Amino acid sequence: MLRILKHPAFARLFAAQVVALAGTGLLTIALGLLAYDLAGPAAGAVLGTAYAIKMVAYVGLSPVLGALAARLPRRGVLIFADLVRFGVALFLPFVDSVAQIYVLIFLLQSASALFTPTFQATIPDILTKEEDYTRALSLSRLAYDLENLLSPALAGVLLLVMSYHGLFVGTAAGFLISTLLILMTTLPPRPKSKDRPFRERLTRGAWIYLATPRLRGLLAFNMAAAASVSYVLVNTVVLVRDSYGMGETGLAMAMGAFGAGSMAAALTLPRLLEQLPDRRVMGTSAIALAGVTVAHGLWMQSVGILSWPAFLGLWAVIGALYSAILTPSGRLLRRSAHSEDRPAVFTAQFALSHVCWLGAYPLAGWSATQGSQALSLLVLGALGLASTVVGYWVWTPAPKEVMHEHPELPDDHPHLKEHGGRRHAHAIVIDDEHHAWPTHG
């Protein structure tokens, strides 16, 4: 896995991702503590709303910003987004009301809605071999897990010598270092593509995404992951502070356990995905994740809270299953689009997957606040199970013929040449991994 870090452009981008996510991890801890200071036991509802605002920015602005930036240099887009996030982070230590949290989170996540899909769509153009790209996805998953492992550990140390407001400064520093690393990196130019009107650029990614069976299955599995993990991200602070009576370092330990499980799964996935199809790995993990969530809710309802070691172990298991669902996503996206359409498809995945989180975050917060922690677990677990069933149903393993056509393609497009210049509907076969090829006769 570390062999791909010998590629200089990927190595710098990966380093930029690591430092930016380390800063974001500090933000997650600081934001939870700030919400508890401002709202007390209702902190879960505040965080649920804040995360819902984050999702609104992702869902509503990501396609628009992606379409606007479609012709701009990638490096300039990434640097601009990082500088916006850096500026917003500098204001966070001065927040003194819940409304200010909401405004700043919206601004910061709007910049992330531009940065993340652009970043993700660039990596396949740097690492063109699928085995290298699979390992890059696992490394990327490890980088995301820094939010839940190393960053909380760092936060716990920093909280010994400063208030949580100082963690926001670390967030700003992460975005600034990320900007400098990207500035030092030469990125491949955007693939040449047809000059499309804004409206087509805005919707093309979603059109391709929703027309692809395995990506519809991916979206359903994303919903299953969001249902269970939204509980972890929204309600852990309340469980740790109120149910277990622990302080700030307890929250860091709980999120660290979640991150450790996710990292362990990410380290094993490249080899596992060489042996098993993506659908089986993702679907089995989604079933297990939903089942664990329901079982936790039933236990809490009938017996009470788990012991602290058991609680940390459970959070590690949830982290591992979550990683197993999300890590293969990039492989599916890469296979499902030509290079010219890849940024649009990655943007569609970013927006559509966050529709799932847009529903899950407030459901996790308000079901726990208005009902109980056990009720929240049961509701979210049931949603996860239903989503997994849908995922298996829409991502069918059996080969089948479907008719498709390409009225939008130019006459000299390679795909039309492959089909003898036929613009009318023609049959293709979709196999177990949903690779497509034309039928003959």
Side-chain angles (χ1 to χ4, degrees), residues 129-408:
K129 296 181 179 179
E130 178 158 308
E131 59 269 24
D132 288 341
Y133 182 57
T134 300
R135 284 157 177 76
L137 291 175
S138 289
L139 278 177
S140 181
R141 183 70 255 163
L142 293 175
Y144 278 108
D145 291 333
L146 290 175
E147 283 191 60
N148 303 304
L149 183 60
L150 299 184
S151 291
L154 176 60
V157 173
L158 293 176
L159 289 170
L160 297 176
V161 296
M162 65 175 68
S163 74
Y164 65 81
H165 291 90
L167 301 183
F168 292 124
V169 178
T171 299
F175 291 139
L176 181 59
I177 296 172
S178 173
T179 302
L180 296 175
L181 286 168
I182 294 171
L183 189 62
M184 298 165 55
T185 306
T186 300
L187 301 181
R190 290 183 183 273
K192 293 182 179 179
S193 60
K194 179 182 176 181
D195 187 13
R196 306 180 189 278
F198 174 78
R199 182 177 179 180
E200 186 175 348
R201 298 200 308 271
L202 182 65
T203 59
R204 183 171 176 79
W207 182 84
I208 295 172
Y209 190 103
L210 295 175
T212 307
R214 63 178 165 206
L215 296 187
R216 292 198 297 267
L218 169 62
L219 183 59
F221 290 149
N222 283 165
M223 183 71 251
S228 294
V229 177
S230 62
Y231 180 87
V232 173
L233 299 180
V234 169
N235 291 313
T236 296
V237 64
V238 178
L239 277 177
V240 169
R241 298 296 291 267
D242 288 353
S243 299
Y244 290 98
M246 301 189 70
E248 297 172 345
T249 55
L251 176 60
M253 291 174 63
M255 298 309 297
F258 175 81
S262 184
M263 292 182 75
L267 287 169
T268 62
L269 278 170
R271 181 169 296 180
L272 184 64
L273 291 171
E274 291 176 359
Q275 306 297 325
L276 298 174
D278 300 81
R279 180 179 182 268
R280 186 181 303 175
V281 172
M282 299 170 73
T284 302
S285 300
I287 291 175
L289 181 59
V292 164
T293 302
V294 170
H296 187 199
L298 292 173
W299 179 276
M300 187 176 291
Q301 189 174 57
S302 59
V303 179
I305 63 172
L306 298 166
S307 67
W308 179 247
F311 173 73
L312 295 179
L314 178 62
W315 256 223
V317 170
I318 291 174
L321 296 172
Y322 175 64
S323 179
I325 296 171
L326 292 196
T327 301
S329 299
R331 288 160 52 96
L332 305 183
L333 297 169
R334 182 176 182 269
R335 294 173 191 160
S336 301
H338 298 294
S339 58
E340 64 183 270
D341 292 324
R342 200 171 287 144
V345 172
F346 271 86
T347 299
Q349 159 69 6
F350 187 80
L352 292 172
S353 64
H354 283 96
V355 170
C356 304
W357 293 97
L358 179 59
Y361 275 136
L363 180 61
W366 290 105
S367 60
T369 303
Q370 303 301 319
S372 66
Q373 297 291 338
L375 174 64
S376 182
L377 286 164
L378 293 172
V379 169
L380 293 167
L383 176 59
L385 287 172
S387 300
T388 303
V389 171
V390 172
Y392 272 112
W393 177 55
V394 299
W395 185 354
T396 53
K400 62 180 181 179
E401 279 194 357
V402 298
M403 301 298 293
H404 82 165
E405 53 186 332
H406 297 284
E408 80 286 357

